[in-house]
Amino acid sequence: MSRPQIALVVHALILIGALAFIVPALTRALGSPTGYLLSLLTYWLGFCLPVIALHVRGRRGPHLFSERLAWQDWFVPGLLLLQLGVVGLVAVTPHTSMLTTNGAMLAALIGVINGPLEETAWRGGFMTRFADRPRLGFWLGWVLFTLWHAPLALSHGIVFEGGWMALVGGAAALGLLWNWIAWRTGSVFWTSIAHTLTNVMAFWVLFDGNGFV
């Protein structure tokens, strides 16, 4: 691997290791809502934004954010719509009796920030840096994206629906789908939309279920 490729992988590994300590420490010291949200802020400032600045910005053409699809890829919006329907059916429908408007508003705020940042950093970062080794970039990006969710399961006082296996397993399944679409189309436009809406639904249940609002 080249030095920039190694730097990106090491950055991700450092992030995962650091959050394994930061997430439980913040949620224990500040309480689960504040500590969890500050953990996300740490992730955005310590990984997503630096990766975008160092590995994506100025190194990838406008196609990375293009909505244009080749005729053979016009199944992508439909596939992502199906994915969103499955997430809504599985994750949201069983919990509609406890969901609140305030929870939805907070989830929308966090989802709108997190979804595009993650897609640009993870998919965009690895697509850019590993353009000469796409298979390696695809699998490394997917594995590391999945692993970064593991520290979240260490949050003190937060219950994740389905436990840590659902949290990490869901990230693995969705990350694999979004990876495949982003690498196939060369763009994170469609995956950013799907990621954002998925986050809104997942955060809505998480926030209301754990008394964030």
Side-chain angles (χ1 to χ4, degrees):
M1 291 192 295
S2 66
R3 287 186 178 180
Q5 290 169 346
I6 293 172
L8 177 57
V9 172
V10 169
H11 191 169
L13 290 172
I14 291 173
L15 159 83
I16 295 166
L19 287 178
F21 293 95
I22 291 172
V23 172
L26 286 178
T27 52
R28 184 178 293 109
L30 302 175
S32 53
T34 302
Y36 185 86
L37 294 175
L38 282 179
S39 296
L40 288 180
L41 180 62
T42 301
Y43 164 59
W44 297 337
L45 296 178
F47 181 78
C48 293
L49 289 176
V51 166
I52 292 169
L54 295 172
H55 299 281
V56 179
R57 185 172 178 270
R59 293 175 175 80
R60 192 81 179 187
H63 183 65
L64 182 65
F65 307 101
S66 175
E67 77 285 0
R68 295 181 179 180
L69 293 170
W71 67 267
Q72 65 268 29
D73 292 334
W74 265 106
F75 67 91
V76 166
L79 178 60
L80 290 174
L81 188 61
L82 176 62
Q83 176 252 294
L84 289 168
V86 171
V87 171
L89 184 64
V90 173
V92 179
T93 301
H95 306 287
T96 52
S97 62
M98 74 171 185
L99 299 178
T100 67
T101 301
N102 288 338
M105 293 173 65
L106 179 59
L109 174 63
I110 301 301
V112 165
I113 297 172
N114 190 69
L117 279 182
E118 284 203 300
E119 286 303 306
T120 306
W122 287 106
R123 251 62 71 182
F126 279 84
M127 286 165 61
T128 300
R129 282 305 184 193
F130 286 84
D132 59 332
R133 304 184 70 179
R135 289 187 179 181
L136 179 62
F138 180 100
W139 292 111
L140 273 176
W142 173 68
V143 168
L144 292 169
F145 172 77
T146 300
L147 288 178
W148 106 255
H149 290 79
L152 295 178
L154 302 175
S155 299
H156 182 75
I158 294 181
V159 176
F160 293 93
E161 185 69 22
W164 72 268
M165 291 186 67
L167 173 65
V168 178
L174 292 171
L176 186 60
L177 173 65
W178 295 334
N179 247 31
W180 179 69
I181 289 173
W183 281 86
R184 178 185 175 93
T185 63
S187 170
V188 298
F189 177 84
W190 294 100
T191 56
S192 292
I193 295 174
H195 196 151
T196 297
L197 295 176
T198 299
N199 275 176
V200 171
M201 289 188 283
F203 285 138
W204 192 9
V205 174
L206 178 69
F207 294 164
D208 274 328
N210 287 276
F212 275 47
V213 292

